[in-house]
Amino acid sequence: ARVGATVVDGREWLLFQAVPAFELFTGHGAPVPTMRKALWKTRKDGRTNIALIGFMGSGKSAVAEAMGRRTGMAVIDIDTNIEKKAGCSVAEIFERKGEKAFRSMEVEEVDGLRFVSNTVVSCGGGVVVSRPNVRVLRNNCVTVWLWAGIDTSLRRIGETGSRPLLHRVDEAGAEALLRGRYPLYASTCDLLVNTEGKGPEEIAMRIHDETRNNAVRR
Ligand code: S3P
């Protein structure tokens, strides 16, 4: 399209391969508009949300905001919603009530995604450790794993002290946590984006390109 050529969607190609087959088998003219409609419909599987998962510092919140600006989709930040409900920060929830309490609040918040559409969702880095969350994400969202190496992640987080899970670990401990979660991120996501060396706008553009017209399917 950039060089002025006409772009033909692969579905048209598929459709017109089916036309002679239909006519050969049935002896009737093929109902092209009906066939076209069915073809486009089967591609759409109803997941209109995009969920961003990945380790702390992978850029989920910034990319979600950029996606919202680019697409006009609504944006939800799971941790922000939890903080609003709890009336205190995630770090304070960990401190006062413990991780287990935080995880149940997270499950409750993620469950609400069953009722939203056309929304970009920024999840907490540990969203994948709770099985119910994985189920809700897989059923209701095209899920994108934003990947970054541990150095980049820690640099992006900086010295904010806002990540309780990193309070008592050194870099090797943080890396072990990240690596331990790889299988969970991998089995939850539909799409993996390497965010190293890229800014939120570029990543958002990439995700938008990959997900529009329901191009991502399982
Ligand atoms: C967590 C990540 C945090 C936050 C909480 C636990 C985790 O979110 O939900 O501190 O288990 O990885 P971010 O990934 O947005 O930092």
Side-chain angles (χ1 to χ4, degrees):
R2 222 175 300 135
V3 293
T6 304
V7 176
V8 179
D9 190 286
R11 277 163 282 195
E12 289 297 297
W13 189 258
L14 187 65
L15 173 62
F16 282 97
Q17 281 182 339
V19 166
F22 183 97
E23 294 181 347
L24 201 66
F25 293 151
T26 67
H28 299 290
V32 173
T34 311
M35 288 163 75
R36 180 178 285 121
K37 211 165 144 193
L39 193 58
W40 281 78
K41 200 159 140 215
T42 54
R43 281 183 58 86
K44 195 162 167 59
D45 68 0
R47 289 174 300 153
T48 59
N49 303 311
I50 296 175
L52 306 180
I53 60 170
F55 201 60
M56 296 167 261
S58 57
K60 297 167 302 234
S61 305
V63 173
E65 292 299 332
M67 286 286 297
R69 284 192 297 275
R70 169 170 289 272
T71 63
M73 291 166 81
V75 177
I76 287 182
D77 189 303
I78 297 291
D79 279 353
T80 306
N81 284 0
I82 293 173
E83 290 179 332
K84 273 189 202 143
K85 274 193 195 152
C88 61
S89 70
V90 168
E92 284 164 339
I93 299 171
F94 268 72
E95 207 177 287
R96 294 178 197 159
K97 301 184 178 160
E99 178 173 355
K100 214 163 156 222
F102 171 77
R103 294 296 170 208
S104 24
M105 296 169 87
E106 193 176 38
V107 166
E108 194 184 314
E109 203 55 43
V110 170
D111 192 61
L113 297 179
R114 293 188 294 125
F115 310 108
V116 303
S117 53
N118 289 311
T119 299
V120 185
V121 188
S122 171
C123 300
V127 72
V128 291
V129 304
S130 310
R131 287 198 137 272
N133 292 345
V134 172
R135 205 173 322 120
V136 172
L137 291 177
R138 288 193 58 80
N139 287 338
N140 298 280
C141 309
V142 171
T143 303
V144 184
W145 174 11
L146 300 186
W147 184 88
I150 198 65
D151 293 347
T152 304
S153 303
L154 295 178
R155 185 168 32 78
R156 286 183 188 150
I157 294 170
E159 299 294 317
T160 58
S162 59
R163 305 314 202 275
L165 287 182
L166 300 179
H167 284 174
R168 272 176 285 276
V169 296
D170 56 8
E171 178 161 342
E175 181 156 26
L177 183 62
L178 165 66
R179 287 187 179 274
R181 284 181 178 168
Y182 275 3
L184 296 172
Y185 292 135
S187 59
T188 306
C189 77
D190 297 296
L191 203 68
L192 165 66
V193 176
N194 179 357
T195 68
E196 291 280 348
K198 299 186 195 90
E201 300 297 334
E202 187 184 346
I203 300 165
M205 184 176 74
R206 196 65 73 90
I207 297 171
H208 188 207
D209 281 349
E210 297 274 2
T211 55
R212 72 174 128 205
N213 298 327
N214 276 280
V216 178
R217 296 224 309 140
R218 294 198 269 269

